[in-house]
PDB file of all heavy atoms in Angstrom:
ATOM      1  N   LYS J   1     -32.040 -12.673  -4.714  1.00 95.00           N
ATOM      2  CA  LYS J   1     -33.133 -12.736  -3.702  1.00 95.00           C
ATOM      3  C   LYS J   1     -33.041 -11.754  -2.613  1.00 95.00           C
ATOM      4  O   LYS J   1     -33.943 -11.080  -2.139  1.00 95.00           O
ATOM      5  CB  LYS J   1     -33.226 -14.153  -3.133  1.00 95.00           C
ATOM      6  CG  LYS J   1     -34.337 -14.572  -2.180  1.00 95.00           C
ATOM      7  CD  LYS J   1     -34.303 -16.038  -1.699  1.00 95.00           C
ATOM      8  CE  LYS J   1     -35.365 -16.235  -0.802  1.00 95.00           C
ATOM      9  NZ  LYS J   1     -35.179 -17.793  -0.406  1.00 95.00           N
ATOM     10  N   ILE J   2     -31.734 -11.521  -2.164  1.00 96.00           N
ATOM     11  CA  ILE J   2     -31.435 -10.651  -1.067  1.00 96.00           C
ATOM     12  C   ILE J   2     -31.843  -9.268  -1.494  1.00 96.00           C
ATOM     13  O   ILE J   2     -32.551  -8.401  -0.840  1.00 96.00           O
ATOM     14  CB  ILE J   2     -30.022 -10.591  -0.682  1.00 96.00           C
ATOM     15  CG1 ILE J   2     -29.735 -11.911   0.157  1.00 96.00           C
ATOM     16  CG2 ILE J   2     -29.585  -9.413   0.186  1.00 96.00           C
ATOM     17  CD1 ILE J   2     -28.228 -12.186   0.267  1.00 96.00           C
ATOM     18  N   ALA J   3     -31.393  -8.878  -2.769  1.00 92.00           N
ATOM     19  CA  ALA J   3     -31.675  -7.540  -3.233  1.00 92.00           C
ATOM     20  C   ALA J   3     -33.198  -7.265  -3.368  1.00 92.00           C
ATOM     21  O   ALA J   3     -33.694  -6.133  -3.007  1.00 92.00           O
ATOM     22  CB  ALA J   3     -31.053  -7.354  -4.558  1.00 92.00           C
ATOM     23  N   ALA J   4     -33.937  -8.203  -3.747  1.00 93.00           N
ATOM     24  CA  ALA J   4     -35.395  -8.213  -3.914  1.00 93.00           C
ATOM     25  C   ALA J   4     -36.109  -8.060  -2.564  1.00 93.00           C
ATOM     26  O   ALA J   4     -37.077  -7.308  -2.402  1.00 93.00           O
ATOM     27  CB  ALA J   4     -35.958  -9.282  -4.708  1.00 93.00           C
ATOM     28  N   GLU J   5     -35.612  -8.967  -1.586  1.00 93.00           N
ATOM     29  CA  GLU J   5     -36.324  -9.047  -0.314  1.00 93.00           C
ATOM     30  C   GLU J   5     -35.968  -7.960   0.679  1.00 93.00           C
ATOM     31  O   GLU J   5     -36.805  -7.540   1.427  1.00 93.00           O
ATOM     32  CB  GLU J   5     -36.095 -10.404   0.170  1.00 93.00           C
ATOM     33  CG  GLU J   5     -36.731 -11.543  -0.498  1.00 93.00           C
ATOM     34  CD  GLU J   5     -36.540 -12.978   0.077  1.00 93.00           C
ATOM     35  OE1 GLU J   5     -35.634 -13.067   0.957  1.00 93.00           O
ATOM     36  OE2 GLU J   5     -37.140 -13.960  -0.371  1.00 93.00           O
ATOM     37  N   ARG J   6     -34.672  -7.558   0.627  1.00 94.00           N
ATOM     38  CA  ARG J   6     -34.156  -6.663   1.672  1.00 94.00           C
ATOM     39  C   ARG J   6     -33.789  -5.338   1.284  1.00 94.00           C
ATOM     40  O   ARG J   6     -33.563  -4.467   2.034  1.00 94.00           O
ATOM     41  CB  ARG J   6     -33.007  -7.358   2.436  1.00 94.00           C
ATOM     42  CG  ARG J   6     -33.349  -8.739   3.194  1.00 94.00           C
ATOM     43  CD  ARG J   6     -34.414  -8.463   4.262  1.00 94.00           C
ATOM     44  NE  ARG J   6     -34.672  -9.721   4.920  1.00 94.00           N
ATOM     45  CZ  ARG J   6     -35.853  -9.985   5.465  1.00 94.00           C
ATOM     46  NH1 ARG J   6     -36.918  -9.198   5.206  1.00 94.00           N
ATOM     47  NH2 ARG J   6     -36.210 -11.125   6.076  1.00 94.00           N
ATOM     48  N   ASN J   7     -33.594  -5.175  -0.156  1.00 92.00           N
ATOM     49  CA  ASN J   7     -33.316  -3.852  -0.684  1.00 92.00           C
ATOM     50  C   ASN J   7     -32.026  -3.291  -0.048  1.00 92.00           C
ATOM     51  O   ASN J   7     -32.047  -2.220   0.451  1.00 92.00           O
ATOM     52  CB  ASN J   7     -34.542  -2.960  -0.469  1.00 92.00           C
ATOM     53  CG  ASN J   7     -34.344  -1.573  -1.420  1.00 92.00           C
ATOM     54  OD1 ASN J   7     -33.654  -1.673  -2.426  1.00 92.00           O
ATOM     55  ND2 ASN J   7     -34.919  -0.502  -0.875  1.00 92.00           N
ATOM     56  N   CYS J   8     -30.971  -4.147   0.001  1.00 95.00           N
ATOM     57  CA  CYS J   8     -29.694  -3.626   0.624  1.00 95.00           C
ATOM     58  C   CYS J   8     -28.618  -4.153  -0.328  1.00 95.00           C
ATOM     59  O   CYS J   8     -28.827  -4.957  -1.248  1.00 95.00           O
ATOM     60  CB  CYS J   8     -29.563  -4.248   2.017  1.00 95.00           C
ATOM     61  SG  CYS J   8     -29.467  -5.983   2.177  1.00 95.00           S
ATOM     62  N   ARG J   9     -27.442  -3.687  -0.014  1.00 96.00           N
ATOM     63  CA  ARG J   9     -26.224  -4.098  -0.742  1.00 96.00           C
ATOM     64  C   ARG J   9     -25.926  -5.587  -0.498  1.00 96.00           C
ATOM     65  O   ARG J   9     -26.294  -6.176   0.560  1.00 96.00           O
ATOM     66  CB  ARG J   9     -25.052  -3.356  -0.178  1.00 96.00           C
ATOM     67  CG  ARG J   9     -23.762  -3.601  -1.058  1.00 96.00           C
ATOM     68  CD  ARG J   9     -22.645  -2.732  -0.407  1.00 96.00           C
ATOM     69  NE  ARG J   9     -22.965  -1.224  -0.553  1.00 96.00           N
ATOM     70  CZ  ARG J   9     -22.091  -0.329  -0.246  1.00 96.00           C
ATOM     71  NH1 ARG J   9     -20.814  -0.653   0.178  1.00 96.00           N
ATOM     72  NH2 ARG J   9     -22.413   0.953  -0.395  1.00 96.00           N
ATOM     73  N   THR J  10     -25.358  -6.232  -1.480  1.00 97.00           N
ATOM     74  CA  THR J  10     -24.898  -7.638  -1.299  1.00 97.00           C
ATOM     75  C   THR J  10     -23.412  -7.779  -1.506  1.00 97.00           C
ATOM     76  O   THR J  10     -22.827  -6.857  -2.192  1.00 97.00           O
ATOM     77  CB  THR J  10     -25.611  -8.505  -2.438  1.00 97.00           C
ATOM     78  OG1 THR J  10     -25.220  -8.084  -3.790  1.00 97.00           O
ATOM     79  CG2 THR J  10     -27.098  -8.531  -2.284  1.00 97.00           C
ATOM     80  N   TYR J  11     -22.885  -8.692  -0.763  1.00 97.00           N
ATOM     81  CA  TYR J  11     -21.469  -8.911  -0.818  1.00 97.00           C
ATOM     82  C   TYR J  11     -21.189 -10.417  -1.159  1.00 97.00           C
ATOM     83  O   TYR J  11     -22.032 -11.255  -0.822  1.00 97.00           O
ATOM     84  CB  TYR J  11     -20.790  -8.659   0.624  1.00 97.00           C
ATOM     85  CG  TYR J  11     -20.791  -7.304   1.051  1.00 97.00           C
ATOM     86  CD1 TYR J  11     -22.051  -6.653   1.632  1.00 97.00           C
ATOM     87  CD2 TYR J  11     -19.613  -6.443   0.867  1.00 97.00           C
ATOM     88  CE1 TYR J  11     -21.925  -5.334   2.069  1.00 97.00           C
ATOM     89  CE2 TYR J  11     -19.564  -5.211   1.418  1.00 97.00           C
ATOM     90  CZ  TYR J  11     -20.700  -4.618   1.931  1.00 97.00           C
ATOM     91  OH  TYR J  11     -20.675  -3.380   2.399  1.00 97.00           O
ATOM     92  N   THR J  12     -20.066 -10.630  -1.896  1.00 97.00           N
ATOM     93  CA  THR J  12     -19.789 -11.990  -2.203  1.00 97.00           C
ATOM     94  C   THR J  12     -18.957 -12.818  -1.277  1.00 97.00           C
ATOM     95  O   THR J  12     -18.882 -13.983  -1.247  1.00 97.00           O
ATOM     96  CB  THR J  12     -19.186 -12.018  -3.640  1.00 97.00           C
ATOM     97  OG1 THR J  12     -17.877 -11.350  -3.499  1.00 97.00           O
ATOM     98  CG2 THR J  12     -19.917 -11.529  -4.756  1.00 97.00           C
ATOM     99  N   SER J  13     -18.309 -12.065  -0.364  1.00 97.00           N
ATOM    100  CA  SER J  13     -17.347 -12.758   0.579  1.00 97.00           C
ATOM    101  C   SER J  13     -17.307 -11.885   1.868  1.00 97.00           C
ATOM    102  O   SER J  13     -17.439 -10.702   1.892  1.00 97.00           O
ATOM    103  CB  SER J  13     -15.965 -12.766   0.091  1.00 97.00           C
ATOM    104  OG  SER J  13     -15.394 -11.618  -0.037  1.00 97.00           O
ATOM    105  N   PHE J  14     -16.909 -12.666   2.976  1.00 98.00           N
ATOM    106  CA  PHE J  14     -16.611 -11.999   4.241  1.00 98.00           C
ATOM    107  C   PHE J  14     -15.488 -11.048   4.163  1.00 98.00           C
ATOM    108  O   PHE J  14     -15.476  -9.990   4.723  1.00 98.00           O
ATOM    109  CB  PHE J  14     -16.272 -13.067   5.311  1.00 98.00           C
ATOM    110  CG  PHE J  14     -15.817 -12.657   6.586  1.00 98.00           C
ATOM    111  CD1 PHE J  14     -16.717 -12.270   7.599  1.00 98.00           C
ATOM    112  CD2 PHE J  14     -14.522 -12.702   6.915  1.00 98.00           C
ATOM    113  CE1 PHE J  14     -16.284 -11.863   8.801  1.00 98.00           C
ATOM    114  CE2 PHE J  14     -14.067 -12.314   8.128  1.00 98.00           C
ATOM    115  CZ  PHE J  14     -14.987 -11.893   9.095  1.00 98.00           C
ATOM    116  N   GLU J  15     -14.445 -11.414   3.289  1.00 98.00           N
ATOM    117  CA  GLU J  15     -13.316 -10.519   3.211  1.00 98.00           C
ATOM    118  C   GLU J  15     -13.740  -9.132   2.694  1.00 98.00           C
ATOM    119  O   GLU J  15     -13.190  -8.135   3.157  1.00 98.00           O
ATOM    120  CB  GLU J  15     -12.312 -11.227   2.249  1.00 98.00           C
ATOM    121  CG  GLU J  15     -11.558 -12.345   2.895  1.00 98.00           C
ATOM    122  CD  GLU J  15     -12.392 -13.549   3.000  1.00 98.00           C
ATOM    123  OE1 GLU J  15     -13.472 -13.764   2.262  1.00 98.00           O
ATOM    124  OE2 GLU J  15     -12.049 -14.449   3.823  1.00 98.00           O
ATOM    125  N   ASP J  16     -14.637  -9.064   1.780  1.00 97.00           N
ATOM    126  CA  ASP J  16     -15.109  -7.878   1.177  1.00 97.00           C
ATOM    127  C   ASP J  16     -15.825  -7.082   2.311  1.00 97.00           C
ATOM    128  O   ASP J  16     -15.686  -5.745   2.266  1.00 97.00           O
ATOM    129  CB  ASP J  16     -16.159  -8.077   0.092  1.00 97.00           C
ATOM    130  CG  ASP J  16     -15.459  -8.608  -1.157  1.00 97.00           C
ATOM    131  OD1 ASP J  16     -14.249  -8.546  -1.357  1.00 97.00           O
ATOM    132  OD2 ASP J  16     -16.158  -9.111  -2.060  1.00 97.00           O
ATOM    133  N   VAL J  17     -16.421  -7.663   3.284  1.00 98.00           N
ATOM    134  CA  VAL J  17     -17.219  -6.872   4.306  1.00 98.00           C
ATOM    135  C   VAL J  17     -16.218  -6.261   5.317  1.00 98.00           C
ATOM    136  O   VAL J  17     -16.278  -5.084   5.620  1.00 98.00           O
ATOM    137  CB  VAL J  17     -18.181  -7.839   5.096  1.00 98.00           C
ATOM    138  CG1 VAL J  17     -18.668  -7.065   6.319  1.00 98.00           C
ATOM    139  CG2 VAL J  17     -19.165  -8.364   4.063  1.00 98.00           C
ATOM    140  N   ILE J  18     -15.113  -7.039   5.729  1.00 98.00           N
ATOM    141  CA  ILE J  18     -14.301  -6.457   6.758  1.00 98.00           C
ATOM    142  C   ILE J  18     -13.248  -5.402   6.079  1.00 98.00           C
ATOM    143  O   ILE J  18     -12.623  -4.662   6.904  1.00 98.00           O
ATOM    144  CB  ILE J  18     -13.462  -7.596   7.517  1.00 98.00           C
ATOM    145  CG1 ILE J  18     -12.661  -8.331   6.654  1.00 98.00           C
ATOM    146  CG2 ILE J  18     -14.524  -8.409   8.242  1.00 98.00           C
ATOM    147  CD1 ILE J  18     -11.811  -9.308   7.402  1.00 98.00           C
ATOM    148  N   ALA J  19     -13.232  -5.523   4.799  1.00 98.00           N
ATOM    149  CA  ALA J  19     -12.417  -4.454   4.096  1.00 98.00           C
ATOM    150  C   ALA J  19     -13.226  -3.179   3.756  1.00 98.00           C
ATOM    151  O   ALA J  19     -12.550  -2.121   3.412  1.00 98.00           O
ATOM    152  CB  ALA J  19     -11.826  -4.978   2.777  1.00 98.00           C
ATOM    153  N   ASP J  20     -14.435  -3.171   3.960  1.00 98.00           N
ATOM    154  CA  ASP J  20     -15.333  -2.019   3.658  1.00 98.00           C
ATOM    155  C   ASP J  20     -15.303  -1.117   4.882  1.00 98.00           C
ATOM    156  O   ASP J  20     -15.868  -1.416   5.896  1.00 98.00           O
ATOM    157  CB  ASP J  20     -16.722  -2.450   3.398  1.00 98.00           C
ATOM    158  CG  ASP J  20     -17.744  -1.398   2.812  1.00 98.00           C
ATOM    159  OD1 ASP J  20     -17.343  -0.237   3.068  1.00 98.00           O
ATOM    160  OD2 ASP J  20     -18.642  -1.728   2.312  1.00 98.00           O
ATOM    161  N   GLY J  21     -14.818   0.052   4.740  1.00 97.00           N
ATOM    162  CA  GLY J  21     -14.731   1.045   5.813  1.00 97.00           C
ATOM    163  C   GLY J  21     -16.036   1.567   6.282  1.00 97.00           C
ATOM    164  O   GLY J  21     -16.047   2.199   7.322  1.00 97.00           O
ATOM    165  N   GLU J  22     -17.088   1.405   5.411  1.00 97.00           N
ATOM    166  CA  GLU J  22     -18.452   1.874   5.796  1.00 97.00           C
ATOM    167  C   GLU J  22     -19.091   1.058   6.859  1.00 97.00           C
ATOM    168  O   GLU J  22     -19.982   1.495   7.571  1.00 97.00           O
ATOM    169  CB  GLU J  22     -19.288   2.003   4.561  1.00 97.00           C
ATOM    170  CG  GLU J  22     -19.022   3.079   3.588  1.00 97.00           C
ATOM    171  CD  GLU J  22     -20.071   3.221   2.542  1.00 97.00           C
ATOM    172  OE1 GLU J  22     -21.117   3.929   2.894  1.00 97.00           O
ATOM    173  OE2 GLU J  22     -19.846   2.729   1.445  1.00 97.00           O
ATOM    174  N   VAL J  23     -18.649  -0.229   6.922  1.00 98.00           N
ATOM    175  CA  VAL J  23     -19.353  -1.242   7.762  1.00 98.00           C
ATOM    176  C   VAL J  23     -18.880  -1.009   9.255  1.00 98.00           C
ATOM    177  O   VAL J  23     -17.664  -0.920   9.548  1.00 98.00           O
ATOM    178  CB  VAL J  23     -19.063  -2.660   7.258  1.00 98.00           C
ATOM    179  CG1 VAL J  23     -19.765  -3.677   8.213  1.00 98.00           C
ATOM    180  CG2 VAL J  23     -19.508  -2.861   5.888  1.00 98.00           C
ATOM    181  N   ASP J  24     -19.979  -0.929  10.180  1.00 98.00           N
ATOM    182  CA  ASP J  24     -19.662  -0.727  11.474  1.00 98.00           C
ATOM    183  C   ASP J  24     -19.830  -2.097  12.321  1.00 98.00           C
ATOM    184  O   ASP J  24     -19.196  -2.415  13.237  1.00 98.00           O
ATOM    185  CB  ASP J  24     -20.559   0.232  12.114  1.00 98.00           C
ATOM    186  CG  ASP J  24     -20.487   1.685  11.513  1.00 98.00           C
ATOM    187  OD1 ASP J  24     -19.508   2.300  11.626  1.00 98.00           O
ATOM    188  OD2 ASP J  24     -21.487   2.014  10.876  1.00 98.00           O
ATOM    189  N   LEU J  25     -20.817  -2.869  11.925  1.00 98.00           N
ATOM    190  CA  LEU J  25     -21.184  -4.029  12.690  1.00 98.00           C
ATOM    191  C   LEU J  25     -21.349  -5.246  11.753  1.00 98.00           C
ATOM    192  O   LEU J  25     -21.957  -5.236  10.703  1.00 98.00           O
ATOM    193  CB  LEU J  25     -22.645  -3.781  13.363  1.00 98.00           C
ATOM    194  CG  LEU J  25     -23.271  -4.944  14.031  1.00 98.00           C
ATOM    195  CD1 LEU J  25     -22.420  -5.447  15.270  1.00 98.00           C
ATOM    196  CD2 LEU J  25     -24.714  -4.725  14.401  1.00 98.00           C
ATOM    197  N   VAL J  26     -20.633  -6.310  12.184  1.00 98.00           N
ATOM    198  CA  VAL J  26     -20.800  -7.607  11.405  1.00 98.00           C
ATOM    199  C   VAL J  26     -21.590  -8.630  12.178  1.00 98.00           C
ATOM    200  O   VAL J  26     -21.268  -8.799  13.316  1.00 98.00           O
ATOM    201  CB  VAL J  26     -19.406  -8.196  11.105  1.00 98.00           C
ATOM    202  CG1 VAL J  26     -19.437  -9.550  10.531  1.00 98.00           C
ATOM    203  CG2 VAL J  26     -18.469  -7.170  10.202  1.00 98.00           C
ATOM    204  N   VAL J  27     -22.614  -9.152  11.541  1.00 98.00           N
ATOM    205  CA  VAL J  27     -23.365 -10.121  12.220  1.00 98.00           C
ATOM    206  C   VAL J  27     -23.198 -11.485  11.629  1.00 98.00           C
ATOM    207  O   VAL J  27     -23.396 -11.666  10.459  1.00 98.00           O
ATOM    208  CB  VAL J  27     -24.970  -9.750  12.013  1.00 98.00           C
ATOM    209  CG1 VAL J  27     -25.915 -10.773  12.731  1.00 98.00           C
ATOM    210  CG2 VAL J  27     -25.176  -8.344  12.649  1.00 98.00           C
ATOM    211  N   LEU J  28     -22.773 -12.505  12.369  1.00 98.00           N
ATOM    212  CA  LEU J  28     -22.459 -13.818  11.898  1.00 98.00           C
ATOM    213  C   LEU J  28     -23.606 -14.747  12.037  1.00 98.00           C
ATOM    214  O   LEU J  28     -23.925 -15.227  13.098  1.00 98.00           O
ATOM    215  CB  LEU J  28     -21.325 -14.353  12.684  1.00 98.00           C
ATOM    216  CG  LEU J  28     -19.992 -13.502  12.553  1.00 98.00           C
ATOM    217  CD1 LEU J  28     -18.873 -14.139  13.464  1.00 98.00           C
ATOM    218  CD2 LEU J  28     -19.511 -13.311  11.212  1.00 98.00           C
ATOM    219  N   ALA J  29     -24.198 -15.099  10.853  1.00 97.00           N
ATOM    220  CA  ALA J  29     -25.320 -16.047  10.745  1.00 97.00           C
ATOM    221  C   ALA J  29     -24.754 -17.154   9.978  1.00 97.00           C
ATOM    222  O   ALA J  29     -25.326 -17.562   9.031  1.00 97.00           O
ATOM    223  CB  ALA J  29     -26.529 -15.418  10.175  1.00 97.00           C
ATOM    224  N   THR J  30     -23.692 -17.722  10.491  1.00 97.00           N
ATOM    225  CA  THR J  30     -22.924 -18.858   9.783  1.00 97.00           C
ATOM    226  C   THR J  30     -22.861 -20.067  10.589  1.00 97.00           C
ATOM    227  O   THR J  30     -23.184 -19.951  11.823  1.00 97.00           O
ATOM    228  CB  THR J  30     -21.502 -18.276   9.521  1.00 97.00           C
ATOM    229  OG1 THR J  30     -20.959 -17.908  10.766  1.00 97.00           O
ATOM    230  CG2 THR J  30     -21.458 -17.026   8.564  1.00 97.00           C
ATOM    231  N   PRO J  31     -22.390 -21.104  10.143  1.00 96.00           N
ATOM    232  CA  PRO J  31     -22.272 -22.320  10.936  1.00 96.00           C
ATOM    233  C   PRO J  31     -21.440 -22.066  12.197  1.00 96.00           C
ATOM    234  O   PRO J  31     -20.473 -21.343  12.260  1.00 96.00           O
ATOM    235  CB  PRO J  31     -21.506 -23.322   9.932  1.00 96.00           C
ATOM    236  CG  PRO J  31     -22.033 -22.946   8.593  1.00 96.00           C
ATOM    237  CD  PRO J  31     -22.046 -21.424   8.680  1.00 96.00           C
ATOM    238  N   ASN J  32     -21.869 -22.758  13.319  1.00 96.00           N
ATOM    239  CA  ASN J  32     -21.320 -22.555  14.601  1.00 96.00           C
ATOM    240  C   ASN J  32     -19.743 -22.663  14.692  1.00 96.00           C
ATOM    241  O   ASN J  32     -19.129 -21.876  15.416  1.00 96.00           O
ATOM    242  CB  ASN J  32     -21.928 -23.407  15.675  1.00 96.00           C
ATOM    243  CG  ASN J  32     -23.400 -23.157  15.793  1.00 96.00           C
ATOM    244  OD1 ASN J  32     -23.956 -22.164  15.585  1.00 96.00           O
ATOM    245  ND2 ASN J  32     -24.068 -24.323  16.211  1.00 96.00           N
ATOM    246  N   VAL J  33     -19.210 -23.570  13.903  1.00 97.00           N
ATOM    247  CA  VAL J  33     -17.742 -23.840  13.917  1.00 97.00           C
ATOM    248  C   VAL J  33     -17.003 -22.631  13.304  1.00 97.00           C
ATOM    249  O   VAL J  33     -15.839 -22.481  13.747  1.00 97.00           O
ATOM    250  CB  VAL J  33     -17.399 -25.113  13.135  1.00 97.00           C
ATOM    251  CG1 VAL J  33     -17.681 -24.883  11.641  1.00 97.00           C
ATOM    252  CG2 VAL J  33     -16.068 -25.680  13.419  1.00 97.00           C
ATOM    253  N   THR J  34     -17.583 -21.717  12.610  1.00 97.00           N
ATOM    254  CA  THR J  34     -16.939 -20.521  12.032  1.00 97.00           C
ATOM    255  C   THR J  34     -16.885 -19.353  12.974  1.00 97.00           C
ATOM    256  O   THR J  34     -16.153 -18.364  12.718  1.00 97.00           O
ATOM    257  CB  THR J  34     -17.581 -20.147  10.706  1.00 97.00           C
ATOM    258  OG1 THR J  34     -18.904 -19.622  10.986  1.00 97.00           O
ATOM    259  CG2 THR J  34     -17.634 -21.430   9.759  1.00 97.00           C
ATOM    260  N   HIS J  35     -17.726 -19.354  13.971  1.00 98.00           N
ATOM    261  CA  HIS J  35     -17.911 -18.047  14.717  1.00 98.00           C
ATOM    262  C   HIS J  35     -16.641 -17.565  15.347  1.00 98.00           C
ATOM    263  O   HIS J  35     -16.409 -16.338  15.212  1.00 98.00           O
ATOM    264  CB  HIS J  35     -18.946 -18.316  15.834  1.00 98.00           C
ATOM    265  CG  HIS J  35     -20.389 -18.635  15.330  1.00 98.00           C
ATOM    266  ND1 HIS J  35     -21.421 -18.889  16.212  1.00 98.00           N
ATOM    267  CD2 HIS J  35     -20.893 -18.466  14.111  1.00 98.00           C
ATOM    268  CE1 HIS J  35     -22.607 -18.971  15.487  1.00 98.00           C
ATOM    269  NE2 HIS J  35     -22.193 -18.798  14.267  1.00 98.00           N
ATOM    270  N   CYS J  36     -15.837 -18.305  15.920  1.00 98.00           N
ATOM    271  CA  CYS J  36     -14.609 -17.760  16.569  1.00 98.00           C
ATOM    272  C   CYS J  36     -13.657 -17.194  15.701  1.00 98.00           C
ATOM    273  O   CYS J  36     -13.338 -15.902  15.835  1.00 98.00           O
ATOM    274  CB  CYS J  36     -13.980 -19.001  17.398  1.00 98.00           C
ATOM    275  SG  CYS J  36     -12.433 -18.439  18.180  1.00 98.00           S
ATOM    276  N   ASP J  37     -13.304 -17.833  14.625  1.00 98.00           N
ATOM    277  CA  ASP J  37     -12.369 -17.352  13.563  1.00 98.00           C
ATOM    278  C   ASP J  37     -12.927 -16.029  12.938  1.00 98.00           C
ATOM    279  O   ASP J  37     -12.220 -15.052  12.817  1.00 98.00           O
ATOM    280  CB  ASP J  37     -12.057 -18.313  12.522  1.00 98.00           C
ATOM    281  CG  ASP J  37     -11.205 -17.819  11.428  1.00 98.00           C
ATOM    282  OD1 ASP J  37     -10.031 -17.427  11.806  1.00 98.00           O
ATOM    283  OD2 ASP J  37     -11.602 -17.738  10.334  1.00 98.00           O
ATOM    284  N   LEU J  38     -14.174 -16.086  12.489  1.00 98.00           N
ATOM    285  CA  LEU J  38     -14.785 -14.966  11.787  1.00 98.00           C
ATOM    286  C   LEU J  38     -14.830 -13.740  12.726  1.00 98.00           C
ATOM    287  O   LEU J  38     -14.612 -12.599  12.277  1.00 98.00           O
ATOM    288  CB  LEU J  38     -16.086 -15.236  11.170  1.00 98.00           C
ATOM    289  CG  LEU J  38     -15.963 -16.333   9.947  1.00 98.00           C
ATOM    290  CD1 LEU J  38     -17.426 -16.599   9.436  1.00 98.00           C
ATOM    291  CD2 LEU J  38     -15.029 -15.967   8.894  1.00 98.00           C
ATOM    292  N   ALA J  39     -15.304 -14.005  13.903  1.00 98.00           N
ATOM    293  CA  ALA J  39     -15.518 -12.875  14.856  1.00 98.00           C
ATOM    294  C   ALA J  39     -14.168 -12.139  15.186  1.00 98.00           C
ATOM    295  O   ALA J  39     -14.118 -10.956  15.215  1.00 98.00           O
ATOM    296  CB  ALA J  39     -16.101 -13.421  16.151  1.00 98.00           C
ATOM    297  N   ILE J  40     -13.074 -12.989  15.356  1.00 98.00           N
ATOM    298  CA  ILE J  40     -11.806 -12.415  15.702  1.00 98.00           C
ATOM    299  C   ILE J  40     -11.342 -11.584  14.474  1.00 98.00           C
ATOM    300  O   ILE J  40     -10.777 -10.456  14.616  1.00 98.00           O
ATOM    301  CB  ILE J  40     -10.796 -13.449  16.112  1.00 98.00           C
ATOM    302  CG1 ILE J  40     -11.291 -14.022  17.560  1.00 98.00           C
ATOM    303  CG2 ILE J  40      -9.489 -12.941  16.203  1.00 98.00           C
ATOM    304  CD1 ILE J  40     -10.434 -15.182  17.959  1.00 98.00           C
ATOM    305  N   ARG J  41     -11.390 -12.113  13.341  1.00 98.00           N
ATOM    306  CA  ARG J  41     -10.967 -11.386  12.088  1.00 98.00           C
ATOM    307  C   ARG J  41     -11.770 -10.092  11.910  1.00 98.00           C
ATOM    308  O   ARG J  41     -11.215  -9.128  11.595  1.00 98.00           O
ATOM    309  CB  ARG J  41     -11.173 -12.361  10.970  1.00 98.00           C
ATOM    310  CG  ARG J  41     -10.200 -13.434  10.749  1.00 98.00           C
ATOM    311  CD  ARG J  41     -10.491 -14.389   9.730  1.00 98.00           C
ATOM    312  NE  ARG J  41     -10.446 -13.824   8.404  1.00 98.00           N
ATOM    313  CZ  ARG J  41     -11.072 -14.456   7.365  1.00 98.00           C
ATOM    314  NH1 ARG J  41     -11.566 -15.725   7.396  1.00 98.00           N
ATOM    315  NH2 ARG J  41     -10.872 -13.890   6.188  1.00 98.00           N
ATOM    316  N   ALA J  42     -12.986 -10.101  12.265  1.00 98.00           N
ATOM    317  CA  ALA J  42     -13.833  -8.931  12.029  1.00 98.00           C
ATOM    318  C   ALA J  42     -13.387  -7.920  13.164  1.00 98.00           C
ATOM    319  O   ALA J  42     -13.241  -6.704  12.726  1.00 98.00           O
ATOM    320  CB  ALA J  42     -15.329  -9.208  12.080  1.00 98.00           C
ATOM    321  N   MET J  43     -13.301  -8.344  14.348  1.00 98.00           N
ATOM    322  CA  MET J  43     -12.924  -7.457  15.477  1.00 98.00           C
ATOM    323  C   MET J  43     -11.469  -6.911  15.187  1.00 98.00           C
ATOM    324  O   MET J  43     -11.210  -5.641  15.466  1.00 98.00           O
ATOM    325  CB  MET J  43     -13.020  -8.072  16.753  1.00 98.00           C
ATOM    326  CG  MET J  43     -14.502  -8.253  17.087  1.00 98.00           C
ATOM    327  SD  MET J  43     -14.710  -9.000  18.906  1.00 98.00           S
ATOM    328  CE  MET J  43     -14.214 -10.751  18.682  1.00 98.00           C
ATOM    329  N   ASP J  44     -10.509  -7.683  14.639  1.00 98.00           N
ATOM    330  CA  ASP J  44      -9.187  -7.133  14.380  1.00 98.00           C
ATOM    331  C   ASP J  44      -9.226  -6.186  13.226  1.00 98.00           C
ATOM    332  O   ASP J  44      -8.239  -5.384  13.103  1.00 98.00           O
ATOM    333  CB  ASP J  44      -8.288  -8.319  14.102  1.00 98.00           C
ATOM    334  CG  ASP J  44      -7.846  -9.142  15.266  1.00 98.00           C
ATOM    335  OD1 ASP J  44      -7.932  -8.635  16.372  1.00 98.00           O
ATOM    336  OD2 ASP J  44      -7.335 -10.211  15.125  1.00 98.00           O
ATOM    337  N   ALA J  45     -10.316  -6.145  12.430  1.00 98.00           N
ATOM    338  CA  ALA J  45     -10.480  -5.236  11.414  1.00 98.00           C
ATOM    339  C   ALA J  45     -11.235  -3.971  11.888  1.00 98.00           C
ATOM    340  O   ALA J  45     -11.533  -2.977  11.080  1.00 98.00           O
ATOM    341  CB  ALA J  45     -11.195  -5.793  10.179  1.00 98.00           C
TER     342      ALA J  45
END
């Protein structure tokens, strides 16, 4: 659905995103309880 609606790359996991050297900005549209941990992991990457 993402590929059809947004015409962009898809990822299966957060880990794949923070390991991708092309990615500059990570946007967290995830449950509120996850924001702190995911944000810190992304920033540390």
Side-chain angles (χ1 to χ4, degrees):
K1 185 178 180 181
I2 290 167
E5 292 180 351
R6 299 296 183 217
N7 191 30
C8 66
R9 184 178 301 187
T10 60
Y11 293 81
T12 59
S13 72
F14 173 78
E15 288 73 21
D16 289 344
V17 174
I18 62 174
D20 187 343
E22 289 190 79
V23 177
D24 301 297
L25 172 68
V26 174
V27 177
L28 300 177
T30 56
N32 297 334
V33 72
T34 69
H35 289 175
C36 178
D37 176 62
L38 294 182
I40 291 173
R41 288 170 63 191
M43 288 186 286
D44 283 345

